[in-house]
Amino acid sequence: MVRSWGQQPDVSAAKGRYAVQLTGVTKQFGEGPTAVLALDTVSLGIEPGTFTAVMGPSGSGKSTFLHCAAGLDRPTSGEVRLGGQDLAALRERRLTELRRTRIGFVFQAFNLLPSLTVEQNITLPLRLAGKEADAAWFHHIMTTVGLGDCLARFPTQLSGGQQQRVAIARGLVTRPQVIFADEPTGALDPETARDILGLLRQAVTDLHQTVVMVTHDPVAAAHTDHAVFLSTGRIVDEMGAPSADRVAEVLSGLRRTA
Ligand SMILES: Nc1ncnc2c1ncn2[C@@H]1O[C@H](COP(=O)(O)OP(=O)(O)OP(=O)(O)O)[C@@H](O)[C@H]1O
């Protein structure tokens, strides 16, 4: 049964066809002989309402890709568009507003505020955006991430896996158009990881949200619609309807040549 969670995110505001579009994006860190080319003319269009895995060996540029795509870092050259909006054209304040209203983040560094309870941490993006929580959606997220008993606790009273779940709930609560997730299941046991991936899938299928997820895990990638493979800052392969076996095969080939 497909459940509906009320109002869907406003994708009609998007002028472009893609939810996220990178064109010739290059990101260089440093200058001269020590310079690192973390992204090398990367071009990719991510359709709205799809779930994409970004994969590749360690140091291949996955996190840099995510940071540039999410407007957290500016590319050295090339263009990033979110819902048709060219991020380079935005001043810092407008960019912050766009991140707050249209993007959800689930990153490895959980960035939870220690002085706020679990519930306050999760609902913080809503308060910043001046929105009310949708009680049914909030309850559903809480049940899925298994945090119902921890709402009044503080982050320091939680395990690493529980903190990750708080970060995931916080990324989903505003039902943003695009969710960027960096290894969201890395610290979790397989059962919780499966539930979290199911929740991300539901955000895509039921709410037409777009999820872009960096992962090393072929099993996690098998939950997505599309896998993109990076090696030394370039997109070297793509796969529709990825299976864990085929993904593992591509990754081991890339590790051999990395
Ligand atoms: N702030 C930075 N300053 C200098 N070099 C950086 C910086 N951030 C990333 N790099 C370099 O850019 C390259 C890509 O890094 P990135 O973190 O994007 O890779 P990754 O694929 O996410 O790696 P991992 O899987 O190990 O997290 C690496 O060589 C890294 O050392």
Side-chain angles (χ1 to χ4, degrees), residues 57 231-232 251-258:
S231 179
T232 56
L251 281 180
S252 67
L254 292 179
R255 285 194 192 106
R256 275 199 299 276
T257 54

Side-chain angles (χ1 to χ4, degrees), residues 27 29-30 36-39 56-65 73 108 182-183 214 216 230:
K27 178 70 185 178
F29 291 108
V36 177
L37 198 56
L39 291 180
S58 185
S60 58
K62 302 181 296 294
S63 296
T64 308
F65 171 91
D73 207 351
Q108 279 166 344
D182 197 351
E183 288 281 355
V214 164
H216 285 102
L230 286 170

Side-chain angles (χ1 to χ4, degrees), residues 22-28 39 64 67-69 71-81 86-88:
L22 281 74
T23 310
V25 169
T26 293
K27 178 70 185 178
Q28 178 179 315
L39 291 180
T64 308
H67 291 167
C68 287
L72 290 170
D73 207 351
R74 295 206 186 248
T76 309
S77 60
E79 187 185 79
V80 179
R81 285 181 180 269
D86 178 4
L87 297 190

Side-chain angles (χ1 to χ4, degrees), residues 139-169:
H139 179 73
H140 178 65
I141 294 173
M142 289 305 114
T143 311
T144 309
V145 297
L147 287 169
D149 299 339
C150 307
L151 288 181
R153 290 204 216 161
F154 291 92
T156 50
Q157 299 171 313
L158 303 178
S159 70
Q162 285 172 324
Q163 290 183 43
Q164 178 65 309
R165 288 188 247 169
V166 175
I168 289 165

Side-chain angles (χ1 to χ4, degrees), residues 155-214:
T156 50
Q157 299 171 313
L158 303 178
S159 70
Q162 285 172 324
Q163 290 183 43
Q164 178 65 309
R165 288 188 247 169
V166 175
I168 289 165
R170 187 185 51 187
L172 291 176
V173 76
T174 56
R175 295 190 289 187
Q177 285 172 14
V178 186
I179 296 161
F180 291 99
D182 197 351
E183 288 281 355
T185 55
L188 304 177
D189 62 87
E191 203 178 319
T192 310
R194 213 176 39 242
D195 290 348
I196 296 299
L197 290 163
L199 186 62
L200 291 173
R201 161 55 61 194
Q202 204 169 30
V204 170
T205 308
D206 294 358
L207 291 171
H208 203 67
Q209 286 170 290
T210 307
V211 179
V212 183
M213 170 177 76
V214 164

